[in-house]
Amino acid sequence: MPTIDRRSLLRAGVAVPALAALAACGSGATSPRLISPTDKRVRSVESSRRASGNTSRHTVRASADTVDLGGPTVRTWTYDGAIPGREIRVRRGDLVEVRLVNQLPAETSIHWHGIALRNDMDGVPDLTQPSVGRGTSFTYRFVAPDAGTYWFHPHSGVQLDRGLYAPLIVEDPDEAGAYDAEWTVVLDDWIDGTDYTPDQVFETLRKGMGGMDHGGGEMDGPTLMGATSELLGGDAGDVKYPHFLVNGRIASAARDFRAKPGSRVRIRLINAGGDTAFRVALGGHRLLVTHTDGFPVTPVETDALLIGMGERYDVVVTLEDGVFPLTALAEGKEATARALVRTGSGQRPPVSARPRELNARIVGYTDLRAADDAQLKPATPDVEHVLELTGGMMEYDWTINGRRYDPKKSLPIREGQRVRVRFRNSTTMWHPMHIHGHTFQLGADGPRKDTAIVLPKRSITCDFDADNPGQWLTHCHNIYHAEAGMMTVLGYRA
Ligand code: C2O
Ligand code: CU
């Protein structure tokens, strides 16, 4: 087991973990008690969260619908009939109350991606709650403690790769708002309702490349072959998507964002894709990166950025006069989606137009630093878990530390610890790794994130303070890798 517990009683500056450790020793128990999602510690941490006193109430109806992607019409599953689903907007500290009405022909759940919320509202069936059955409803209720750009999606099978996703924006009541307008831009790769459902895609992938028919017939299947990207260090993805979307539209039917020339706009970018990283640029403009996964960074200018599944970036731009493509290149997949930014008159640029900024400076994690008030306090990790990313396309056996996900097995952490998770990628493909319920710091003073790309044969270190007790899923945000087994649990012990 690549687990080093460097915690010592001497170093434990807080009473609670020390007491817990004593109790564990005294009873002679070999395995300390798991802090379950319904533990009283979960409730007591929730009640200590800085709450605004306001309740923000919403209903989300999940159902099967027909949706127009701007030409192609597809049968799929959506939240309230739209792709993306309706944005939920709350203020920091609000009690968020969302009633999920499940009208799907399947069980479902909602996970609030990136929110440091109470564990029993995290929406992971078999780990934090029972599935929400067909024809039933469930009300999620939690305080949103941090401002930022978040989103939500099911944590049930590969449902995320249907139309079930929507933004969750937590506003900061104290923020000055150094911009005139704010746009939310959601990127997605699309296959559902064309030749395959995501379930059929997964069934095909799961047979592995070994089991594939090499008679040439495979070219028509949903498995992507030979798509590579230098930025991603090799293989770009596993799935051949017929469409790529920005806010639910294919490139030829791109939506317009309108503003006055000279205005400053905050753009919140969210990658809701199943298996696609996007390279994003706005023709004729530079982007000022201000936030990563909701948390502020020291602002950095860039021409383009790379955004993996589950990641978010906020950028601020000062708009020129004209019509400009906000282009999302499906990295390594030779296709684009886009929105148009219109501040004056002018023709729509042709669909094939690719802003030159896409190939100019692309900001990387090492160029980013968490803003001063978002820095973790310097501390030596009390515990370190090495999560080796393992498996591959041949057998489609994506795993962590060589083991498939088992909700009953977790990597131990304790409340009050500084935790270091080192993701070490032994595979030949990149993985966007996501930790639930916490926002880690990348490297020593890098950006705060909850999802970070790990390139093939590389590793990253993610430090966080264990201040949110419960059982927290940690996984690859490639939905097909996750479903194949590339998930594990960081489990608090008392
Ligand atoms: Cu966005 Cu575990 O998920
Ligand atoms: Cu992966």
Side-chain angles (χ1 to χ4, degrees):
M1 268 298 296
T3 300
I4 314 147
D5 193 341
R6 291 204 225 100
R7 181 176 176 280
S8 77
L9 283 175
L10 283 175
R11 279 203 73 252
V14 248
V16 174
L19 278 175
L22 282 176
C25 295
S27 69
T30 46
S31 51
R33 184 174 65 85
L34 277 184
I35 301 210
S36 79
T38 52
D39 195 279
K40 61 179 187 318
R41 272 312 291 156
V42 173
R43 286 196 304 276
S44 98
V45 167
E46 174 74 349
S47 60
S48 72
R49 288 198 167 99
R50 187 163 55 139
S52 67
N54 180 49
T55 302
S56 181
R57 290 193 179 81
H58 308 266
T59 299
V60 171
R61 197 174 303 274
S63 57
D65 293 289
T66 301
V67 179
D68 179 6
L69 305 177
T73 294
V74 291
R75 271 306 278 178
T76 186
W77 298 356
T78 69
Y79 291 138
D80 300 296
I83 301 175
R86 206 183 323 112
E87 174 173 299
I88 293 183
R89 204 167 253 273
V90 304
R91 305 187 103 195
R92 186 186 62 212
D94 282 358
L95 178 64
V96 184
E97 199 177 286
V98 183
R99 182 159 174 260
L100 164 64
V101 180
N102 181 10
Q103 296 179 339
L104 298 172
E107 301 182 326
T108 193
S109 55
I110 293 183
H111 168 60
W112 312 93
H113 183 121
I115 303 274
L117 80 181
R118 53 186 298 166
N119 188 231
D120 54 344
M121 293 291 138
D122 197 43
V124 182
D126 304 324
L127 184 68
T128 67
Q129 71 167 112
S131 286
V132 181
R134 317 169 39 161
T136 70
S137 65
F138 181 86
T139 300
Y140 291 90
R141 203 177 275 114
F142 56 88
V143 172
D146 303 299
T149 302
Y150 302 95
W151 63 300
F152 59 96
H153 60 76
H155 229 296
S156 304
V158 292
Q159 290 179 11
L160 156 68
D161 217 16
R162 299 185 187 247
L164 297 169
Y165 59 83
L168 170 59
I169 307 300
V170 183
E171 293 178 347
D172 180 350
D174 302 328
E175 191 181 63
Y179 44 87
D180 307 307
E182 197 187 308
W183 302 333
T184 307
V185 172
V186 189
L187 315 173
D188 192 21
D189 44 19
W190 192 273
I191 195 163
D192 193 30
T194 63
D195 288 340
Y196 302 92
T197 64
D199 292 299
Q200 291 165 334
V201 170
F202 183 62
E203 282 312 306
T204 307
L205 290 171
R206 204 155 77 150
K207 293 188 185 116
M209 310 245 285
M212 258 175 66
D213 162 25
H214 286 280
E218 80 265 18
M219 297 314 287
D220 301 314
T223 307
L224 182 66
M225 309 280 282
T228 58
S229 152
E230 213 176 293
L231 273 183
L232 295 172
D235 248 353
D238 299 349
V239 182
K240 201 194 292 170
Y241 288 95
H243 303 301
F244 295 92
L245 311 178
V246 169
N247 289 354
R249 309 290 280 189
I250 58 171
S252 56
R255 291 187 197 279
D256 281 356
F257 283 108
R258 288 167 193 276
K260 294 205 173 68
S263 54
R264 273 168 72 80
V265 178
R266 176 181 190 165
I267 305 176
R268 299 176 183 265
L269 296 159
I270 302 171
N271 183 351
D275 171 71
T276 306
F278 289 95
R279 198 195 301 191
V280 182
L282 174 59
H285 293 77
R286 303 204 80 203
L287 312 170
L288 184 70
V289 179
T290 60
H291 296 75
T292 54
D293 297 353
F295 282 63
V297 291
T298 307
V300 169
E301 262 205 350
T302 187
D303 293 307
L305 52 83
L306 179 72
I307 176 169
M309 295 82 81
E311 291 189 290
R312 290 91 62 216
Y313 283 94
D314 291 17
V315 299
V316 172
V317 287
T318 303
L319 296 174
E320 303 291 334
D321 191 351
V323 183
F324 308 95
L326 176 60
T327 299
L329 172 71
E331 184 63 32
K333 297 186 177 183
E334 293 305 318
T336 56
R338 66 176 187 174
L340 291 171
V341 172
R342 189 181 288 277
T343 61
S345 55
Q347 300 275 311
R348 289 166 78 91
V351 172
S352 59
R354 289 199 184 170
R356 55 153 202 87
E357 286 81 2
L358 283 172
N359 293 307
R361 181 177 133 86
I362 303 170
V363 73
Y365 294 152
T366 51
D367 304 317
L368 296 166
R369 186 183 169 280
D372 288 341
D373 56 354
Q375 289 279 342
L376 283 191
K377 290 192 180 54
T380 311
D382 299 301
V383 59
E384 176 170 339
H385 287 292
V386 178
L387 274 64
E388 193 181 347
L389 312 179
T390 42
M393 270 301 267
M394 268 332 261
E395 306 296 329
Y396 221 74
D397 56 350
W398 302 108
T399 41
I400 293 176
N401 293 335
R403 279 190 305 271
R404 292 196 57 196
Y405 172 59
D406 175 353
K408 296 202 172 48
K409 295 218 169 80
S410 63
L411 302 162
I413 59 177
R414 284 194 173 85
E415 199 176 343
Q417 286 181 325
R418 169 64 55 86
V419 179
R420 172 165 294 173
V421 172
R422 177 187 291 275
F423 292 107
R424 196 160 63 202
N425 187 352
S426 303
T427 76
T428 57
M429 193 177 171
W430 69 287
H431 304 281
M433 298 307 299
H434 173 43
I435 298 181
H436 283 209
H438 304 78
T439 299
F440 51 79
Q441 181 149 29
L442 260 185
D445 66 348
R448 294 287 296 274
K449 295 193 97 312
D450 54 63
T451 310
I453 291 173
V454 195
L455 295 175
K457 310 298 175 199
R458 303 287 283 276
S459 59
I460 60 170
T461 58
C462 305
D463 288 0
F464 64 88
D465 285 323
D467 55 5
N468 196 10
Q471 303 298 309
W472 298 104
L473 202 65
T474 297
H475 62 94
C476 177
H477 222 285
N478 180 311
I479 190 65
Y480 298 98
H481 293 188
E483 191 60 11
M486 196 175 245
M487 306 200 284
T488 188
V489 179
L490 289 169
Y492 281 70
R493 306 289 200 274

